[in-house]
């Protein structure tokens, strides 16, 4: 019996949640479109995270919000169709990660007793996070080796920033590397390609510390890299700092490339472009490229191929559209992505690259 057959199904992820319909599978919009699209009409729910264990095994997590409570909703794609999965309520679920179909984590909000839940291929178990904070990022790098970022809940009297946390097989614990010990309420970025290739960036009041390591030991790295996407310990891409700003919306920044030793800017020799790396897939990095025209950005999806950025057809946007809003890291597979569109971003579409 497959994974989907082993899981209990219901019309909602938590008791009392409304049934959310997933439209039938639709093929590519046109013959030249390299994407297969699945539309989620979700009047009572919003999805925030996507994980793909393989080409035919994908998961999306989010929140269903029948007033006055919030509950977790999870969908699974088995290669043919999407279906609902009964899952523990971790509240306002914003994060999902895994290493396989039998090692999946989801993270939610501090308004429930347990902010994370783990699926071992047969059943779910819940695990509270320190201080019952909101879980905003998860990165599973091995069995019983999971990293995350938690954030001060909005109902707290003071905002204390974010924390780096680690699950070691028994419980979640806050991890504060020595170079970041002086940060009281930092923002924390987390990335990595495996247990020995982790990136953590702590930022507060204009000061930042970028660290690379395996979690037990960290090395401070020079550079202003952010939004890191790691392919291996010797190759990663990141967004770089602004190098030109004309004051009228025209912004130029160069992506940064990590070669195992240092970050180097890669200039595309174009005006008013910037790059936001989003995922690692099929052995390379995929990024949102923003080009400003009279201060109004047009965003396209590109990937690094043959020593240059090449546009990937089928996805583009304007204004603040991030194109790949929530993307699944699928190192060995073609990418999956989830993004919102339409009036008030009321509709969401899942896209799988099949080109």
């Amino acid at each position: 019996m497959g994974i989907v057959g082993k899981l209990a199904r219901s019309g909602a992820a938590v008791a009392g949640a409304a049934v959310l319909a997933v439209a039938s599978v639709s093929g590519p919009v046109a013959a030249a479109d390299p994407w297969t699209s699945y539309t989620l009409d979700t009047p009572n729910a919003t999805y925030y995270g996507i994980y793909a264990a393989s080409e035919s095994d994908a998961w999306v997590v989010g929140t269903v919000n029948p007033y006055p409570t919030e509950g977790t909703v999870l969908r699974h794609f088995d290669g043919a169709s999407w279906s609902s999965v009964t899952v523990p309520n971790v509240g306002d679920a914003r994060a999902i990660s895994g290493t396989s179909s039998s090692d999946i984590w989801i993270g939610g909000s501090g308004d429930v007793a347990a902010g994370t839940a783990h699926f071992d291929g047969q059943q779910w178990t819940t695990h509270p996070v320190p201080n019952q904070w909101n879980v905003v990022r998860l990165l599973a790098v091995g069995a019983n080796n999971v990293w995350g970022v938690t954030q001060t809940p909005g109902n707290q009297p003071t905002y204390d920033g974010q924390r780096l946390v680690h699950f070691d097989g028994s419980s979640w614990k806050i991890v504060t590397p020595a170079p970041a010990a002086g940060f009281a309420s930092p923002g924390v970025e987390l990335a990595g390609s495996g247990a020995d290739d982790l990136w953590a960036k702590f930022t507060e009041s204009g000061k930042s510390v970028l660290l690379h390591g395996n979690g037990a030991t960290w090395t401070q790295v020079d550079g202003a890299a952010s939004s890191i996407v790691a392919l291996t310990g010797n190759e990663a891409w990141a967004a770089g700092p602004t190098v030109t700003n004309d004051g009228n919306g025209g912004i130029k920044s160069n992506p940064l490339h990590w070669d195992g030793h240092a970050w180097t800017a890669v200039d595309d020799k174009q005006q008013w472009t910037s790059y936001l790396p989003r995922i690692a897939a099929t052995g390379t990095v995929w990024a949102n490229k923003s080009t400003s025209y009279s201060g109004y950005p047009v965003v396209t999806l590109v990937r690094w191929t043959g020593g240059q950025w090449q546009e990937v057809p089928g996805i583009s946007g304007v204004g603040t559209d991030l194109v790949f809003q929530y993307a699944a890291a699928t190192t060995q597979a073609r990418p999956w992505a989830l993004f919102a569109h339409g009036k008030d971003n009321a509709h969401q579409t899942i896209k799988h690259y099949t080109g």
Side-chain angles (χ1 to χ4, degrees), residues 160-224:
D160 294 319
Q162 299 179 331
R163 297 292 184 268
L164 180 67
V165 295
H166 180 243
F167 184 82
D168 60 4
S170 60
S171 63
W172 287 96
K173 297 178 177 63
I174 296 175
V175 176
T176 306
F183 292 92
S185 56
V188 180
E189 294 185 37
L190 171 66
S193 67
D196 295 323
D197 178 34
L198 298 170
W199 292 91
K201 184 176 182 178
F202 293 76
T203 303
E204 183 178 18
S205 301
K207 177 185 176 182
S208 65
V209 171
L210 179 61
L211 305 173
H212 188 216
N214 61 12
T217 59
W218 298 92
T219 300
Q220 188 167 340
V221 178
D222 292 334

Side-chain angles (χ1 to χ4, degrees), residues 9-260:
R9 299 265 188 316
S10 70
V14 292
V19 175
L20 304 178
V22 178
S24 60
V25 174
S26 60
V29 175
D33 189 348
W35 300 90
T36 299
S37 299
Y38 309 88
T39 299
L40 304 180
D41 292 318
T42 56
N44 297 313
T46 303
Y47 294 94
Y48 296 101
I50 183 166
Y51 166 70
S54 70
E55 299 272 353
S56 59
D57 186 0
W59 308 71
V60 290
V61 71
T63 302
V64 63
N65 190 17
Y67 183 83
T69 61
E70 291 179 321
T72 307
V73 61
L74 182 69
R75 303 277 179 178
H76 177 242
F77 178 72
D78 63 2
S81 62
W82 290 89
S83 56
S84 300
V85 178
T86 298
V87 63
N89 182 21
V90 296
D92 185 6
R94 301 289 178 117
I96 184 169
S97 185
T99 63
S100 70
S101 297
S102 57
D103 183 25
I104 295 174
W105 286 82
I106 58 173
S109 56
D111 56 359
V112 294
T116 63
H118 176 246
F119 180 62
D120 65 3
Q122 297 291 332
Q123 62 184 357
W124 290 90
T125 54
T126 58
H127 302 274
V129 295
N131 305 317
Q132 230 172 309
W133 282 15
N134 298 340
V135 180
V136 296
R137 180 82 165 93
L138 287 173
L139 178 64
V141 293
N144 295 322
N145 189 359
V146 191
W147 293 84
V149 176
T150 60
Q151 180 171 296
T152 312
N155 59 5
Q156 295 282 3
T158 60
Y159 180 72
D160 294 319
Q162 299 179 331
R163 297 292 184 268
L164 180 67
V165 295
H166 180 243
F167 184 82
D168 60 4
S170 60
S171 63
W172 287 96
K173 297 178 177 63
I174 296 175
V175 176
T176 306
F183 292 92
S185 56
V188 180
E189 294 185 37
L190 171 66
S193 67
D196 295 323
D197 178 34
L198 298 170
W199 292 91
K201 184 176 182 178
F202 293 76
T203 303
E204 183 178 18
S205 301
K207 177 185 176 182
S208 65
V209 171
L210 179 61
L211 305 173
H212 188 216
N214 61 12
T217 59
W218 298 92
T219 300
Q220 188 167 340
V221 178
D222 292 334
S226 61
S227 300
I228 296 171
V229 172
L231 284 82
T232 68
N234 294 321
E235 185 172 12
W237 288 85
T242 298
V243 294
T244 306
N245 187 338
D246 67 0
N248 295 313
I251 296 174
K252 168 71 174 179
S253 65
N254 297 315
L256 304 177
H257 179 246
W258 172 257
D259 63 2

